[in-house]
Amino acid sequence: MARRKKIYEGKAKTLYEGPEPGTIVQYFKDDATAFNAEKKDVIEGKGVLNNLLSEYFMLGLGQVGVPTHFLKRLNMREQLVRSCEIVPLEVIVRNYAAGTMSKRLGIAEGTQLPRPIVEYCYKDDSLGDPLVTEEHIAAFGWASQQDMDDILSLALRVNDFLSGIMYGVGIKLIDFKIEIGRIYDGDFQRLVVADEISPDSCRLWDIKTEQKLDKDVFRRDLGSLTDAYSEVARRLGLMPNNPASITKPTLIN
Ligand code: CDP
């Protein structure tokens, strides 16, 4: 069988040409990186969990009318997505202070913000994805004013959806990052939520204990990353509650 053509290898995913024109296969790796890849490890099972979780969030978003690039999950580690041109921005939505916002503004981690705050970073690893303003985005032509209106609306809709889903399973959505893709239909373009939505790109805290269930577990050496991600998947009903209770298939005579 001919090997698929690799299009791009990123830190956590590899992209291959899809079976139809305009499609891409996203392969979720077990590689974990933090601090712009200064810290690296291979965490067995992370790719499988992120594939499952991202599918769950993208499908849910589609069901409430938020367009995404997701088409279908193919297997444990791969999903089929629509190919799109990625807007070179990381769109971050914050409900509580944490991470770089806490450092920059001296606000204690976990402080609830007066309202969701949306930030934009220019996607460039060599620069460490710097924070930029809408002035930079307009002046350098990374996105038009119409795009920015649509991106803000998409980001806030994703925030409402994800916050609600997570709240329902006892998890606080502290912040998250999404990426936006452009899909061209003839002369028209549509903006869709692209890349992935997983605990790699969100901060998720248990509501009662404030236990971290996201990539900070890896960044800050707080324990097992797969245990944390499995807990999120389990609460969302994506994993059996008690794996020990799964019995072998019984042969029917
Ligand atoms: O994560 P870090 O402290 O470096 O940056 P942040 O600006 O506080 O990140 C805000 C949110 O965006 C967190 O949920 C990060 O996991 C996510 N993020 C990401 O997924 N990828 C990046 N390159 C930067 C942030």
Side-chain angles (χ1 to χ4, degrees), residues 11 35 90-94 98-104 109 119 121 125 129 174-179 199-204 214-216 219-220:
K11 286 177 281 197
F35 313 117
E90 308 221 314
V91 180
I92 293 175
V93 184
R94 301 177 184 273
T100 54
M101 174 184 245
S102 288
K103 277 199 207 97
R104 238 186 350 256
E109 287 210 314
E119 291 176 351
C121 294
D125 280 343
D129 300 333
I174 302 293
D175 59 28
F176 65 92
K177 180 232 23 173
I178 50 170
E179 296 192 16
D200 266 8
S201 51
C202 301
R203 282 197 170 93
L204 305 169
D214 55 60
K215 206 164 102 177
D216 275 347
R219 291 190 191 97
R220 305 178 187 186

Side-chain angles (χ1 to χ4, degrees), residues 103-121:
K103 277 199 207 97
R104 238 186 350 256
L105 303 180
I107 307 175
E109 287 210 314
T111 308
Q112 188 164 18
L113 300 170
R115 60 183 185 124
I117 294 179
V118 182
E119 291 176 351
Y120 305 100
C121 294

Side-chain angles (χ1 to χ4, degrees), residues 13-81:
K13 294 187 294 296
T14 306
L15 305 183
Y16 297 96
E17 240 171 35
E20 311 281 341
T23 64
I24 282 182
V25 174
Q26 277 200 152
Y27 176 98
F28 286 75
K29 301 193 282 184
D30 280 342
D31 301 26
T33 60
F35 313 117
N36 208 3
E38 271 169 41
K39 179 175 170 133
K40 285 188 206 164
D41 206 348
V42 175
I43 313 249
E44 208 177 313
K46 179 175 88 82
V48 174
L49 285 159
N50 280 352
N51 187 22
L52 213 58
L53 284 158
S54 200
E55 172 195 27
Y56 179 79
F57 296 130
M58 293 286 185
L59 278 178
L61 284 169
Q63 277 160 3
V64 298
V66 178
T68 79
H69 73 161
F70 183 83
L71 291 170
K72 67 172 175 181
R73 186 164 63 82
L74 297 172
N75 54 49
M76 295 288 275
R77 288 194 179 268
E78 295 177 324
Q79 49 181 242
L80 190 68
V81 300

